[in-house]
Amino acid sequence: MTDLEQAVRESLLAVPAAPVDLDDRVVEFRGRVKRRKARRRAGVAVAFVALAAVVGSTTNVGRPAHVRDAVVASVGESPVLATPAPAPEVFDPGPALRPEDVAVFAEGVAVEVDGVGVVLVGLDGRVFGHLPGFSFGFSEEAGPLQLRTRDDQYFVLDAGKLRPAPAVDGWAAWPLAYGAEGVMSIIGDPSETVVRRNGRQLFDLGNQMASEGRVSNDRDVVSITHFDTERSEALDLRSGKRSRLPYGCLVGDRHGSRRYLLCGDGTGETASLRAGKDTDPSPAVLFGPLDDGEGGGWAEAMVSPDGTQLLLGWYSNSCHEMHTYLAPSAGAELTPVERALGRDLRDTAIRPLGWTLDGRAIIEVLAGDTCGAPAVEPGVYAISGDDSAQVVAIPKGDPFRNAKLWAPALR
């Protein structure tokens, strides 16, 4: 049984219930922090948000659909996903929910709406409702969704339920894989982040002054680059083993023993996406820098549940926007997601959100940026292998800010 299959099984059961000049490194790091924050916030813009499901694929990859459908708490009359309805003229955020009222599928899309809160949407387009006054927390990866209120109360959406996750002594936590948790200081500047399990610290992700830390997409590998010592390393939360990484590389995702590394210094000149086993001292370069003339770097690498495909994000310094690609996990050709959608989106910023359990890639088409308006309706789309896309909701004129995919954690 694979890790992901185990996670699905358990979530089904859980539903009911050498020294260098540090000053130079600080200057270099601050530039990286600025670029990284811009990458992370590329999706924070006034947007029309649509959720589109791509159906009718001739290939069934990953988990069969009925597994995802079964992971549901009491919602409506039936756990079976409804056929998406035609897009309404005015987006309805659904009923206001209290945290104890939340009962949703184990995976879905959440969107922030100014003046409304966080709206919870199923992958079929069903709007479960909204949490008034809530916003996204600081965790960036797909997985259990971290949320917070205006008065800094923290919650986590996992296994279809929303549970309190209170900050303790100025530290707020969110779930990682295999029983670990990321813990960030919410008092003081710069903030610090560590990884703990059963109260014991396993790994230090740095304080954002002389290092850059990252949690992998499946939250099962944590890694850090220390600028002062020019050293990069990773901790595998499944095995507990530490390993060295090529300097400037962080682990974007992992499938089995194969890790996908995001490498570079943010200028675009040294950017590369590499892959190899955790014991491989020289992971193979799958893709080098994109020749867009603007600089940037590989910001996201997300592997499909069956390990055959990659969903990749390239952050371009031009307009501070993200461009998204699909590719075989062995490398070879990059396919812009606009080709998969059958649309010309070359001048549109698109952000990867992750993979569903049944093997669909989830992307967010962003609204206007400094380079102009998008070529199609902004929103969230699911790509499953053909060119058809059905828009489920077009919230015309509503001030959406950002979207995230929630999914079960590996256990």
Side-chain angles (χ1 to χ4, degrees):
M1 178 180 294
T2 67
D3 294 325
L4 189 56
E5 289 169 338
Q6 180 69 19
V8 174
R9 181 177 182 273
E10 293 188 10
S11 65
L12 284 169
L13 296 175
V15 163
V20 296
D21 188 330
L22 182 57
D23 290 338
D24 290 343
R25 286 304 177 191
V26 169
V27 171
E28 174 191 356
F29 172 72
R30 284 174 175 165
R32 295 187 187 199
V33 169
K34 183 177 180 181
R35 289 189 293 270
R36 186 176 185 191
K37 286 184 177 178
R39 291 198 301 264
R40 293 299 192 186
R41 295 174 182 172
V44 180
V46 175
F48 303 131
V49 174
L51 180 67
V54 179
V55 297
S57 172
T58 57
T59 303
N60 182 22
V61 298
R63 232 59 48 215
H66 70 271
V67 173
R68 176 173 58 85
D69 296 351
V71 185
V72 60
S74 56
V75 178
E77 299 178 356
S78 171
V80 179
L81 293 178
T83 301
E89 288 300 316
V90 179
F91 179 71
D92 180 4
L97 301 173
R98 298 174 302 173
E100 60 269 26
D101 294 333
V102 173
V104 296
F105 295 128
E107 60 177 350
V109 172
V111 288
E112 286 180 313
V113 185
D114 284 339
V116 174
V118 172
V119 182
L120 304 178
V121 184
L123 294 175
D124 62 341
R126 178 186 303 182
V127 177
F128 295 108
H130 68 280
L131 293 160
F134 277 67
S135 61
F136 291 153
F138 40 76
S139 64
E140 299 288 349
E141 319 80 31
L145 181 67
Q146 184 193 46
L147 300 172
R148 65 181 176 185
T149 64
R150 295 189 187 98
D151 57 352
D152 284 333
Q153 296 184 53
Y154 288 85
F155 293 81
V156 170
L157 178 62
D158 190 17
K161 296 290 187 179
L162 190 66
R163 60 176 175 79
V168 178
D169 296 329
W171 293 82
W174 73 100
L176 304 182
Y178 305 114
E181 61 181 8
V183 189
M184 176 180 281
S185 62
I186 56 177
I187 299 175
D189 185 22
S191 62
E192 297 188 19
T193 304
V194 299
V195 176
R196 296 175 182 170
R197 182 159 51 204
N198 298 326
R200 183 172 68 90
Q201 182 170 319
L202 303 178
F203 198 78
D204 189 340
L205 282 171
N207 65 3
Q208 296 193 343
M209 279 300 293
S211 60
E212 181 176 4
R214 186 181 184 96
V215 178
S216 67
N217 185 57
D218 277 341
R219 308 190 188 198
D220 56 345
V221 181
V222 291
S223 52
I224 189 171
T225 290
H226 300 279
F227 302 136
D228 54 348
T229 59
E230 295 190 340
R231 176 186 177 94
S232 298
E233 61 179 333
L235 171 67
D236 185 333
L237 295 177
R238 181 175 61 190
S239 67
K241 295 181 179 178
R242 289 176 179 256
S243 57
R244 287 288 298 269
L245 301 173
Y247 176 64
C249 294
L250 298 171
V251 179
D253 207 353
R254 186 262 298 276
H255 189 276
S257 62
R258 185 174 173 85
R259 299 193 300 198
Y260 298 89
L261 307 183
L262 305 164
C263 305
D265 61 5
T267 66
E269 298 177 359
T270 61
S272 63
L273 178 71
R274 308 184 191 185
K277 294 184 177 181
D278 54 9
T279 56
D280 190 345
S282 301
V285 176
L286 298 185
F287 300 105
L290 295 187
D291 185 17
D292 61 3
E294 302 291 345
W298 291 107
E300 301 290 350
M302 305 169 177
V303 61
S304 62
D306 66 354
T308 64
Q309 295 288 314
L310 294 173
L311 181 64
L312 305 174
W314 170 270
Y315 173 75
S316 174
N317 289 337
S318 172
C319 304
H320 304 293
E321 63 187 21
M322 189 84 75
H323 299 286
T324 301
Y325 300 85
L326 290 166
S329 57
E333 183 180 3
L334 286 168
T335 301
V337 292
E338 54 262 34
R339 189 183 307 174
L341 287 173
R343 293 167 170 81
D344 182 3
L345 304 180
R346 286 173 293 181
D347 297 324
T348 300
I350 302 176
R351 190 167 65 95
L353 297 185
W355 294 89
T356 65
L357 297 178
D358 61 1
R360 291 178 290 165
I362 306 298
I363 63 170
E364 181 183 11
V365 177
L366 304 179
D369 52 44
T370 56
C371 291
V376 297
E377 288 282 6
V380 180
Y381 293 82
I383 301 174
S384 61
D386 62 18
D387 292 339
S388 63
Q390 183 181 8
V391 176
V392 178
I394 304 177
K396 298 182 182 298
D398 282 301
F400 273 74
R401 294 171 51 85
N402 202 0
K404 287 187 179 181
L405 176 68
W406 81 76
L410 298 179
R411 294 176 169 88

